[in-house]
Amino acid sequence: MTASSMPTEPVIHYRVVYSKRRKTLGIQVERDATLVVHAPEGIDPERIHAAVSAKGLWLYEKTRHAEKQREPPHPPGTELVSGESLLYLGHDYPIEIVDEPGYAIRFEDRFIIPRARAASGDSVFREWLQARARETILPRVRQEADALGVACGEVQITESRYRWGSCTPNGDLNFNWRLIKAPLFVIDYVIAHELAHLIEPNHGPRFWSIVRTRIVGLDKAKAWLKTHGSLLEQEL
Ligand SMILES: [Zn+2]
C-alpha cells in the first residue's frame, strides 16, 4: 500500500547518515519518532528526498503523530510480565503469568502464559501471533480471491517494518504478521486491497470502487491503519 491518494505533500524532517559501505537507501523511524535515512556516500540528495517523499503519509503519521502511540511497546528481548497487555484482533488482552506446569500459551480472553515460557522472553509470543496470523489470513485471502475472481500466486505471511501488505506483478501476495493485531474488518480490507491490485495496479477511482464493493467499513479500516501505523515498528 502506498500513500498516492494523499492530497498534499507534508513537510517531513529527517536526518541523513552516510556510509561508504552502503549501496541502498534505508529509512528508519527511531523509537523517539525521529526519522533517519541511511544512505550511500555521494548519493544525490534529490534521491534521498524522493525516497522520503515516496513514503509520504505513513512517515508523516509516524513522525508527527508519534504521541498518538497508544501504549509503550514491550521492550524487545525482555521477559513478559503480568499486567502487560497485547493487542490481538483489535482488542487489548491482559497477560497473566501463571505458576503452572507446561509451556503452551493459552488464550481465554486473556493470555495465560506458564512462567517457564514467559521467562524465555517475547520471541515465543511472536511465534504464537505469527501462527494465528497464518491461520487467520491465508484462508481469507483464498476466499476473497474467489469472490473477486482473481487468481493470486503464492501468499506469504512476512515480516516488514513498512508495509501491512504488498503484491508483486506476478500475483504473489505478502501480508505482515502484525496484521493479526488488527480487527478482522481491517485485516479483510488489507486483503481486499492487495487482491484488487491484481485487477488494477494503481490507486485510481477504479481501484477504490473495487475495494469499496468488498469492504463496507473502508474508511474506518483505513483510519485504523493510519492510527496504528506504529505497530509495524514493534517487536511484539
Ligand atoms: Zn495499494
Side-chain angles (χ1 to χ4, degrees):
M1 295 208 282
T2 65
S4 61
S5 56
M6 190 174 48
T8 52
E9 190 182 313
V11 180
I12 302 162
H13 299 283
Y14 56 91
R15 182 161 68 84
V16 184
V17 179
Y18 292 98
S19 153
K20 270 198 185 105
R21 281 171 306 155
R22 239 195 128 85
K23 300 258 188 300
T24 54
L25 279 175
I27 300 176
Q28 200 185 328
V29 182
E30 308 269 276
R31 293 245 175 253
D32 66 356
T34 55
L35 187 63
V36 182
V37 180
H38 297 273
E41 227 172 60
I43 191 175
D44 181 353
E46 263 311 302
R47 276 190 55 200
I48 296 175
H49 182 73
V52 172
S53 302
K55 294 245 181 263
L57 191 57
W58 181 80
L59 286 171
Y60 175 70
E61 285 300 317
K62 292 197 53 48
T63 53
R64 282 283 300 271
H65 301 297
E67 67 276 13
K68 265 199 213 156
Q69 269 204 16
R70 8 187 328 288
E71 61 188 290
H74 177 81
T78 57
E79 189 175 324
L80 295 164
V81 293
S82 282
E84 282 188 277
S85 63
L86 270 185
L87 200 54
Y88 174 55
L89 292 174
H91 294 283
D92 256 323
Y93 293 104
I95 292 174
E96 199 181 312
I97 312 291
V98 292
D99 288 306
E100 275 176 18
Y103 210 61
I105 293 175
R106 275 188 291 139
F107 178 70
E108 295 169 7
D109 278 338
R110 61 194 197 284
F111 294 105
I112 302 168
I113 306 177
R115 195 167 298 282
R117 187 150 192 179
S120 61
D122 54 21
S123 63
V124 280
F125 220 107
R126 260 166 87 95
E127 284 161 24
W128 189 89
L129 288 170
Q130 286 166 344
R132 299 294 83 72
R134 275 191 297 277
E135 204 174 88
T136 307
I137 295 169
L138 298 181
R140 296 177 98 85
V141 175
R142 297 293 166 195
Q143 232 171 35
E144 183 62 17
D146 286 349
L148 278 170
V150 294
C152 60
E154 209 185 322
V155 184
Q156 289 199 75
I157 301 301
T158 54
E159 159 84 41
S160 164
R161 294 293 195 202
Y162 298 116
R163 290 160 176 276
W164 294 106
S166 62
C167 61
T168 67
N170 51 354
D172 295 337
L173 302 181
N174 298 313
F175 295 94
N176 197 314
W177 67 265
R178 292 179 181 83
L179 259 183
I180 199 62
K181 297 181 178 187
L184 276 175
F185 78 95
V186 175
I187 295 176
D188 286 340
Y189 158 62
V190 176
I191 292 171
H193 182 118
E194 297 309 331
L195 284 167
H197 275 315
L198 302 182
I199 304 169
E200 179 57 55
N202 303 308
H203 294 129
R206 194 168 114 86
F207 172 85
W208 288 114
S209 76
I210 297 166
V211 179
R212 211 171 281 280
T213 58
R214 297 299 309 158
I215 304 298
V216 179
L218 173 61
D219 296 328
K220 232 176 102 190
K222 285 166 83 173
W224 193 96
L225 290 171
K226 219 161 129 179
T227 315
H228 293 82
S230 63
L231 290 177
L232 286 170
E233 292 288 294
Q234 298 179 9
E235 283 298 312
L236 250 192

